[in-house]
Amino acid sequence: MSAPAVRTRDLRCRFAGEAGPVDALRGINLDVERGSFVAIMGPSGSGKTTLLHCAAGLRVPTSGTVELDGVNLSGLDETRLAELRRRRVGFVFQSFNLLPALTAAENIELPLRLDSRQVDPRHTAALLARVGLGNRDRHRPDQLSGGQKQRVAVARALITNPEVVFADEPTGALDIRSAREVLTLVRQLADQGQTIIMVTHDPVAASFSDQVLFLADGLIVDRLARPSAPAVASRMATLVESAERAANAAGVR
Ligand SMILES: Nc1ncnc2c1ncn2[C@@H]1O[C@H](COP(=O)(O)OP(=O)(O)OP(=O)(O)O)[C@@H](O)[C@H]1O
Ligand SMILES: [Mg+2]
């Protein structure tokens, strides 16, 4: 059996908050199988972004382990970790993070250039076609719609052929139609074998995944396989309610 794409064991992350320490992650055990598409949901502040950053090697956890394709990240020094981030993982952000002065094709090629690697224009063209933007290679970001910008960002995340693509609310800045285009694309990538971990607040977005993990207060408290949007929405409503009850109780004390 090959190693899962991502495995975490007793992953904990504590921040030094102004009003005392904040335990953003309190013991996360996670196995993401290769080629699966996992959505992470939970109330605001439940630790979703922190989990994504720790799993992707962007943040060093306080304790516990992260393995990416069988490689234990805590065994890597900063140089090796940076190399792993450049070569083994891809990122998609809510705000696209494209460079405005570069064309779509140049934005997509940037991870390779930053890594002093050879750029093959045929590979770039194939990726543009794969995200449905075959005729937009010379457009700059301000000449593209939100959905098109995010599809460029997805192509950029794929150029290094990463083990895992991590996305933090990739449809958060998009209208319903563009969001659906991006989610359909992400679903296709997963069907082609790309491992994807996506944080989202949107039950419809989560319903494109194979499995939803629900986070509350730094812990995985529930899972839903083959999720439907109404089922996800109903579990989220319960979680948000109990998070609010807990916050109110803490305020009363
Ligand atoms: N750099 C930081 N310093 C101090 N506290 C932090 C830091 N980053 C996150 N936190 C705290 O850790 C907890 C989890 O934050 P995180 O950003 O992971 O939540 P989230 O689930 O992504 O929330 P949202 O849905 O609002 O994006 C929160 O209480 C947050 O205030
Ligand atoms: Mg977040």
Side-chain angles (χ1 to χ4, degrees):
M1 274 259 314
S2 59
V6 176
R7 165 176 284 168
T8 77
R9 287 295 175 267
D10 200 25
L11 188 65
R12 294 167 186 269
C13 186
R14 169 173 281 192
F15 292 110
E18 278 177 13
V22 176
D23 288 308
L25 300 178
R26 299 193 298 137
I28 301 278
N29 297 305
L30 178 65
D31 285 282
V32 177
E33 294 310 319
R34 225 175 270 265
S36 70
F37 177 6
V38 172
I40 300 175
M41 297 195 83
S44 184
S46 57
K48 303 181 295 295
T49 295
T50 308
L51 173 56
L52 208 67
H53 286 182
C54 288
L58 280 174
R59 174 175 289 288
V60 177
T62 308
S63 65
T65 57
V66 176
E67 284 177 24
L68 212 124
D69 191 24
V71 176
N72 187 339
L73 302 195
S74 50
L76 304 180
D77 61 24
E78 187 44 49
T79 312
R80 299 278 306 281
L81 199 57
E83 187 181 284
L84 175 135
R85 282 194 301 261
R86 281 200 307 271
R87 299 184 179 173
R88 310 290 297 279
V89 301
F91 290 98
V92 179
F93 303 92
Q94 178 173 350
S95 50
F96 322 126
N97 290 13
L98 300 178
L99 292 188
L102 301 187
T103 64
E106 288 165 347
N107 266 290
I108 292 170
E109 291 165 351
L110 196 60
L112 294 182
R113 294 194 195 280
L114 290 175
D115 202 20
S116 311
R117 283 159 74 189
Q118 200 91 59
V119 169
D120 177 355
R122 285 168 305 182
H123 185 201
T124 311
L127 269 178
L128 272 159
R130 196 168 168 198
V131 300
L133 293 173
N135 52 357
R136 296 286 199 282
D137 56 324
R138 301 172 80 121
H139 286 57
R140 293 183 201 283
D142 66 358
Q143 299 168 321
L144 297 170
S145 71
Q148 290 170 339
K149 278 190 260 215
Q150 197 59 302
R151 284 187 277 147
V152 171
V154 170
R156 179 184 55 187
L158 293 173
I159 189 120
T160 58
N161 195 20
E163 187 66 35
V164 186
V165 170
F166 293 92
D168 199 352
E169 302 191 36
T171 57
L174 301 179
D175 62 53
I176 289 176
R177 196 170 137 241
S178 308
R180 191 166 285 274
E181 280 170 15
V182 168
L183 291 164
T184 303
L185 168 64
V186 172
R187 180 66 254 175
Q188 277 167 5
L189 299 175
D191 290 339
Q192 292 159 4
Q194 176 67 57
T195 310
I196 294 163
I197 304 183
M198 172 182 79
V199 167
T200 182
H201 278 113
D202 176 9
V204 173
S207 74
F208 281 76
S209 73
D210 299 314
Q211 182 182 203
V212 185
L213 305 178
F214 294 90
L215 242 62
D217 201 12
L219 290 170
I220 295 174
V221 293
D222 210 347
R223 293 162 191 265
L224 197 58
R226 292 177 302 280
S228 73
V232 173
S234 137
R235 296 216 186 179
M236 269 306 291
T238 312
L239 273 186
V240 169
E241 239 171 66
S242 49
E244 280 169 1
R245 258 202 310 277
N248 287 338
V252 166
R253 256 185 269 133

